Amino acid sequence: DTEVTQTPKHLVMGMTNKKSLKCEQHMGHRAMYWYKQKAKKPPELMFVYSYEKLSINESVPSRFSPECPNSSLLNLHLHALQPEDSALYLCASSHSEQGNQPQHFGDGTRLSIL
Amino acid sequence: DQQVKQNSPSLSVQEGRISILNCDYTNSMFDYFLWYKKYPAEGPTFLISISSIKDKNEDGRFTVFLNKSAKHLSLHIVPSQPGDSAVYFCAASASTGGSYIPTFGRGTSLIVHP
């Protein structure tokens, strides 16, 4: 069982819909991440939260809006997405932002945009 | 431009033999390297890591070798087992210089035949 829980596992939405992806961890990790992964590609970093504050935004379009309500939760709000946004969205956490801290990944949300 | 390269998209090995997965990097600031394993429909799982002050790190059947002068690392799995069949991602990070978030390679799909 993964220690990082992501919901939902699958999501199909239209381009005008608004939906949210959720991520939860109870390992006391202070860094949380959103990645996007397309087939046969590596995970691409989208956002990093450190101590509940946004520390990195990798020039992600504003139709993706992250939120960190508390140290255990990370949300990704979606609005007016495009078909090319269809991908696997992975959440991860680590003790801190330092690169020598292994990341713990959730199983992802498979997102399809119609 | 890819800073972390896994040039073999796939590798097929017989059970009991050694699997060698390779990874090359271009950023000389990288000083910490990680390997992740990913099964279908699951998120990546941390496997093993190595700091640039070492040239070898071993954990059970898994050994990672680092050749800093060649900017090359490899993951050895011996003996290989069918349960090792997965996609293996190499990742690299820097403790200074702004690249402390790991950069992932494209992955190598390992198939271990019984």
Side-chain angles (χ1 to χ4, degrees):
Chain A
D1 284 343
T2 184
E3 296 166 314
V4 176
T5 305
Q6 288 187 246
T7 55
K9 290 191 184 303
H10 302 274
L11 179 61
V12 179
M13 59 187 284
M15 288 189 283
T16 58
N17 291 155
K18 285 185 183 181
K19 296 284 185 184
S20 297
L21 309 185
K22 296 187 183 302
C23 176
E24 190 169 359
Q25 59 88 14
H26 294 287
M27 295 177 281
H29 289 173
R30 304 316 300 262
M32 295 186 77
Y33 312 77
W34 279 115
Y35 286 87
K36 173 182 175 181
Q37 187 177 22
K38 294 276 217 179
K40 300 190 188 305
K41 294 284 181 69
E44 293 177 27
L45 183 68
M46 299 175 73
F47 303 104
V48 181
Y49 272 81
S50 180
Y51 289 86
E52 300 158 51
K53 287 187 169 36
L54 183 65
S55 67
I56 294 179
N57 176 342
E58 289 288 313
S59 304
V60 179
S62 59
R63 56 186 185 269
F64 294 92
S65 175
E67 179 197 17
C68 189
N70 59 55
S71 60
S72 300
L73 293 174
L74 186 66
N75 298 323
L76 186 62
H77 303 298
L78 314 173
H79 175 53
L81 295 195
Q82 304 297 308
E84 60 266 27
D85 297 322
S86 298
L88 178 69
Y89 287 84
L90 291 164
C91 173
S93 70
S94 61
H95 282 289
S96 70
E97 264 187 296
Q98 295 306 309
N100 61 357
Q101 300 294 322
Q103 292 168 309
H104 296 247
F105 284 85
D107 288 340
T109 294
R110 177 74 58 188
L111 177 65
S112 298
I113 306 300
L114 301 179
Chain B
D1 184 33
Q2 277 190 281
Q3 297 188 65
V4 178
K5 300 177 186 178
Q6 293 178 257
N7 291 319
S8 298
S10 63
L11 176 67
S12 182
V13 170
Q14 201 70 30
E15 181 179 6
R17 300 289 185 109
I18 185 171
S19 297
I20 300 175
L21 298 103
N22 293 304
C23 178
D24 297 292
Y25 61 96
T26 57
N27 188 340
S28 56
M29 297 295 291
F30 287 147
D31 57 6
Y32 199 78
F33 306 88
L34 311 97
W35 284 94
Y36 288 84
K37 177 170 76 172
K38 185 181 186 302
Y39 292 119
E42 294 183 12
T45 302
F46 169 70
L47 194 57
I48 192 169
S49 62
I50 188 167
S51 164
S52 60
I53 62 173
K54 294 186 173 183
D55 54 19
K56 176 183 174 181
N57 188 26
E58 192 172 351
D59 183 2
R61 296 185 297 114
F62 302 90
T63 303
V64 56
F65 295 91
L66 175 62
N67 182 334
K68 287 189 290 294
S69 61
K71 294 193 178 69
H72 176 83
L73 62 154
S74 60
L75 175 68
H76 293 212
I77 306 173
V78 55
S80 301
Q81 299 173 353
D84 296 328
S85 298
V87 177
Y88 289 79
F89 290 99
C90 170
S93 65
S95 55
T96 59
S99 300
Y100 50 85
I101 305 295
T103 300
F104 286 83
R106 288 176 177 260
T108 297
S109 177
L110 172 66
I111 300 171
V112 180
H113 297 282

